[in-house]
Structure formats: structure tokens, C-alpha cells
């Protein structure tokens, strides 16, 4: 009696890698939150929207290298 040849199960197709790694996404999100906090506190103290926006952007920008050094792979 001849047994039919059964092909091996097909492997699922590999998904392409994402645009950002989980670490990078977390660092950017944490910097965004820190910038929002700094901007909000600056607005509450100075009542100047332009100063709050600049402080928030500066705070977020300074958090990125600090978080990058702090959170290792």
C-alpha cells in the first residue's frame, strides 16, 4: 500500500518590523508626557501660552537624551 506524501505545514509569513521599537516608543511617549507637565506648570505660573509652549518643547527635548541614557536595552 502506498502512503500519500503530506507536505509540511506552511509557516506563517513573517511580518515586517515596525517603524519604532518598543523602547523608542516608550522614550518618546515619556518625553511627551514630561513636556506636557512642564508646559502646563509653566502656563499655570506665568499665564503665558507662548512661554509654556517653549518650556514644554524644551523639556521634552531635554528628556529624550536623558531617558535614552537611563533606559538601557
Amino acid at each position: 500500500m502506498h502512503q500519500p506524501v503530506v507536505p509540511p505545514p506552511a509557516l506563517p509569513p513573517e511580518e515586517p518590523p515596525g517603524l519604532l521599537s518598543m523602547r523608542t516608543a516608550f522614550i518618546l511617549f515619556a518625553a511627551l508626557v514630561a513636556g506636557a507637565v512642564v508646559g502646563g506648570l509653566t502656563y499655570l505660573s506665568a499665564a503665558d501660552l507662548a512661554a509654556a509652549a517653549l518650556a514644554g518643547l524644551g523639556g521634552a527635548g531635554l528628556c529624550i537624551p536623558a531617558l535614552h541614557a537611563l533606559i538601557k536595552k
Side-chain angles (χ1 to χ4, degrees), residues 10 23 25 27 35 42 51 56 61 68 72-73:
R23 177 179 175 266
I27 288 172
T42 303
H68 174 69
K72 298 292 180 185
K73 293 182 181 182

Side-chain angles (χ1 to χ4, degrees), residues 1 4 8 13 18-19 30 33 38 43 46 48-50 53 62 65-67 71:
M1 189 163 236
L19 182 62
V33 169
V38 168
Y43 182 74
D48 185 11
L49 189 58
L62 289 174
L67 289 170
I71 303 171

Side-chain angles (χ1 to χ4, degrees), residues 2-72:
H2 189 66
Q3 295 271 343
V5 177
V6 178
L11 297 174
E14 290 187 25
E15 293 183 20
L19 182 62
L20 298 174
S21 68
M22 184 66 77
R23 177 179 175 266
T24 303
F26 177 74
I27 288 172
L28 291 176
F29 178 72
L32 176 72
V33 169
V37 168
V38 168
L41 291 175
T42 303
Y43 182 74
L44 289 176
S45 69
D48 185 11
L49 189 58
L54 288 175
L57 288 172
L62 289 174
C63 279
I64 291 174
L67 289 170
H68 174 69
L70 185 65
I71 303 171
K72 298 292 180 185

